[in-house]
Amino acid sequence: MKSYVLWSSAALLLTVTGCSNGTSTADHKPASASVSTASSTTSGATIQVTDFSKRMLAFQKVPQHIVALSNGDLDIIYALGGTAVGRPNSNGPSVVPAAENVQQIGSTHEVDLEKITMLKPDVVLGNYPMNEKDIPAIEGVGSQLLLTGANSVHDIQSQITLFGQLLQKQAQAVKLNQQIDQQVAKLQKETASASKPKVLLVYGAPATYMAALPNSLSGNILEAAGGSNIAADFPGLQNFPQYAQLNTERIIEADPDYIFIMTHGNTEDVKAAFIKEMQENAAWNGIRAVKNNQVEVLPSDLFGTNPGTRVTKALDLMHQKLYPAK
């Protein structure tokens, strides 16, 4: 009989969709985001961009009042030299120090429309497809909702390109993307002939866990950093195809070298709860990662959500953990 570590928390589903899309963004890159001359269809707009939902948004000038519903979007805007008037809620300091005093306005899964209305933003940056339902409400307060998301390093680069066009910072966007390209190429060269460590990526909260697949952002970072995802052939969940149930028998059979845990919550609590759950099933004790004490929680600002331009740090950290200095 197969043994599963099941998950059922609706709160976790909301958290996951806030981090990466339920549907892959691979088919929703900004195909025609560009600077355009005025036209009758855009009422004199000089900037036109196409978001990941394939909606064309038009602006008469570079947006000055920007609200970001996720930390990744916030990071990219500031990395491009922009600023925001609204940022996602945080229990600690802002991931962007320069935005520490910016008004908190909810998040991708809980938009505070009242606060956003008071800020009168030119544009709100949200998640595709999660925030599609919020388009009428945001437009109703006189703003526009620009939707993006990230299930891969390439998706983050598409976000950078799109936001660069929105802010008319195309040259800076190119530089940021070149830095990411260089980092990925460097890691691929270093690990090309290496025996790739086997890894189980776990996303969760106490008593609520799932495996991150290669088509998730963390799964893509793992492979780019030179790791092998043991859950690569696990069947994805119907509504969240970037994640799968934890199949205990298959995990034990794969015998991962490392188990990395990602979460938005209290990292130590999550790690303790996961280890307790493993201890209740003696079979886990034979897994190499458990025997070698290689069960670790990754930093939530780099792996619990889209890190934006700091994906280079996420790649570096993952590589260091997979290939520690001898």
Side-chain angles (χ1 to χ4, degrees), residues 248-260:
T248 305
E249 286 187 357
R250 295 182 69 177
I251 292 169
I252 293 170
E253 182 181 358
D255 194 21
D257 300 294
Y258 298 91
I259 297 176
F260 294 136

Side-chain angles (χ1 to χ4, degrees), residues 25 59 108 118 201 223 296 299:
T25 57
F59 301 87
T108 52
M118 292 176 64
L201 287 173
E223 293 189 341
E296 187 174 352

